Amino acid sequence: MSTQAQDKQLFVDDVVTALTGSVVPSGDARPVLQDQMQRATEEFDLRTAEAFARALLEALCQEPIDPRRLEALLILGLAHPTILERHRISLQQEGERLAAMLTAQGQHARARTLLEVIAQAVAAGADGAAAEPESGAGSTTTDKASPASATGPDAKTLDRDHARIEQLLRQADEAAARGRTARAILLLQEIVTLDRGRRDVARMIRDLRWAEAERRARAVRRLKLTGAVLLLCAAAFGLAWREHDVRRRFEAIPRATPGELASMRARLESIDGLVAAERLWLGMASALTERTTLQRAIGEIEAREAATRSARALELSRASELAESLRARGLQLAQQGRFQEALDELRRALELGGPEWSGRREAQANASAIADWIANQPVDRGTAR
């Protein structure tokens, strides 16, 4: 770093210290900021403030922006509003930039206080600022016109460049007002090519680029928010459509006839399939309740049928045992020659055993044989012994 650059750096640091203090203020920011504004107004006249502003603007054109230097420039602008107007710098915009930097550092209260003080200063100075810029503009015109007072080709060239710069500034302002940021930046860059010393124009370019970046960031945030809302709407629509479809399929299951085991089992099987396929939906509680009711009803019917079958089986078993006993007694009576009594016992066995009795065929054959034998016996012989 050259000696001249070092001197400029030291001068800028001295300016920052003179305007903001040796340390970054903490605690309640409003009285500190007001004290800094009052000190800048009382201790530095307009000429000194102009020199400070030029030094700060030149330093702020570097990357990255130093928050303390930007704060010093704002304090200077609050104390001497014409300084920033002369360099075409927006106090409100620079305040928003510094507030964003303070917020990023976690100093939310200080950023909010800064914006409030700037808003009050802009509102309070809206009427009184008209007279002061006129005097400042006159001095600027005198300063800028001094090169044109010289004679010769250089003076004409300077006048021509000055007129061109003013025209480009107007066009850049119009383009920026219409939202054509890229066009405004190109016009300002052309001004810089004509006058390399226009630090205020370089600052305007930086401001436009920062505003464009903020606009794009806001557009991206809006796009993300819109996408999130659309996704939520799509998810809600999909959920509603699925609920409607599942409800329709549930209502399409054939109703069960109370007491009819086949229809009840068919409905229960369909409900089980729907629950297994969908797993979860808003109307699932009613389906689960009905499934439980069907399972209980089917269980009760099956229990009654099982009890009936068991009783029937027991009855058949007892009848079979009795029929078997009567058949055995009939055969015994037949062996004793008491054929009529034997036939009666066999017929009672056939009647009690029923069609499912395992000994029915044999008992029927015995009864038929005994009946035939009795029928073929002479009437006068009587019963054989």
Side-chain angles (χ1 to χ4, degrees):
M1 182 182 298
S2 64
T3 304
Q4 185 178 3
Q6 291 178 352
D7 293 341
K8 287 184 179 180
Q9 180 71 25
L10 292 175
F11 177 70
V12 171
D13 293 340
D14 291 339
V15 170
V16 172
T17 302
L19 291 170
T20 64
S22 58
V23 295
V24 178
S26 59
D28 190 359
R30 182 178 294 273
V32 175
L33 186 58
Q34 291 175 348
D35 180 68
Q36 292 170 341
M37 292 168 52
Q38 183 177 0
R39 189 171 64 252
T41 305
E42 295 175 353
E43 296 182 3
F44 309 117
D45 57 11
L46 191 60
R47 185 184 300 274
T48 304
E50 174 67 24
F52 284 0
R54 290 183 181 276
L56 289 171
L57 286 173
E58 185 175 356
L60 287 171
C61 289
Q62 303 173 1
E63 293 287 350
I65 298 176
D66 188 338
R68 290 198 64 199
R69 294 177 179 177
L70 183 55
E71 181 184 5
L73 181 63
L74 291 177
I75 293 171
L76 198 63
L78 289 169
H80 301 280
T82 58
I83 297 298
L84 297 185
E85 295 175 3
R86 188 173 303 169
H87 292 277
R88 305 176 68 87
I89 296 175
S90 171
L91 180 62
Q92 186 72 32
Q93 186 173 0
E94 295 301 326
E96 292 176 357
R97 188 198 305 272
L98 180 58
M101 298 172 68
L102 293 176
T103 302
Q105 296 175 0
Q107 303 182 47
H108 302 283
R110 189 177 174 202
R112 185 168 55 253
T113 301
L114 175 68
L115 292 177
E116 292 174 357
V117 171
I118 290 177
Q120 292 175 0
V122 171
D127 297 332
E132 187 175 355
E134 292 177 0
S135 61
S139 61
T140 305
T141 304
T142 304
D143 294 340
K144 292 185 177 179
S146 57
S149 61
T151 57
D154 292 340
K156 294 181 180 180
T157 302
L158 288 175
D159 289 340
R160 190 166 51 250
D161 290 346
H162 178 70
R164 176 59 177 166
I165 288 173
E166 292 299 325
Q167 180 184 7
L168 291 173
L169 282 173
R170 288 193 299 271
Q171 294 176 355
D173 289 339
E174 293 175 359
R178 295 178 181 178
R180 301 173 60 186
T181 306
R183 172 63 177 170
I185 291 176
L186 289 176
L187 293 172
L188 293 175
Q189 287 175 343
E190 185 176 350
I191 294 175
V192 174
T193 59
L194 294 175
D195 187 356
R196 297 287 183 179
R198 292 299 297 266
R199 297 291 184 180
D200 57 333
V201 176
R203 187 68 177 171
M204 293 169 61
I205 294 174
R206 181 190 298 274
D207 292 341
L208 287 175
R209 287 174 176 171
W210 181 78
E212 181 67 14
E214 285 294 314
R215 186 189 63 79
R216 291 179 180 176
R218 287 194 298 270
V220 170
R221 287 194 295 269
R222 285 195 298 268
L223 183 61
K224 289 182 179 179
L225 179 60
T226 303
V229 171
L230 290 178
L231 286 177
L232 289 176
C233 293
F237 175 79
L239 180 62
W241 180 87
R242 177 178 177 271
E243 288 295 321
H244 175 74
D245 180 67
V246 175
R247 188 182 304 111
R248 178 186 58 79
R249 289 159 55 192
F250 176 69
E251 293 175 352
I253 297 175
R255 297 290 177 178
T257 303
E260 185 178 327
L261 191 60
S263 64
M264 294 172 67
R265 283 176 175 169
R267 183 167 177 83
L268 178 61
E269 184 178 354
S270 299
I271 292 176
D272 286 338
L274 183 63
V275 171
E278 299 299 333
R279 297 184 181 275
L280 183 66
W281 72 92
L282 294 180
M284 187 177 182
S286 59
L288 295 178
T289 301
E290 184 176 356
R291 183 175 70 172
T292 303
T293 303
L294 287 173
Q295 289 174 344
R296 185 182 300 110
I298 291 173
E300 292 175 355
I301 294 175
E302 290 178 344
R304 288 197 299 269
E305 290 183 352
T308 302
R309 287 194 300 269
S310 178
R312 177 61 179 168
L314 180 61
E315 182 181 354
L316 291 176
S317 177
R318 291 176 178 177
S320 179
E321 290 178 358
L322 182 58
E324 191 66 32
S325 176
L326 290 174
R327 186 178 71 84
R329 178 174 172 75
L331 292 177
Q332 184 179 4
L333 290 172
Q335 291 176 359
Q336 295 176 359
R338 301 161 65 179
F339 294 107
Q340 187 59 47
E341 295 179 13
L343 182 60
D344 293 340
E345 292 294 323
L346 289 173
R347 286 175 176 173
R348 287 181 59 195
L350 290 172
E351 183 181 353
L352 290 174
E356 297 179 359
W357 178 35
S358 60
R360 181 179 183 81
R361 180 178 297 180
E362 185 178 354
Q364 195 168 13
N366 293 332
S368 297
I370 292 175
D372 291 342
W373 189 86
I374 292 175
N376 292 330
Q377 293 300 315
V379 178
D380 57 350
R381 292 186 56 182
T383 304
R385 298 289 182 184

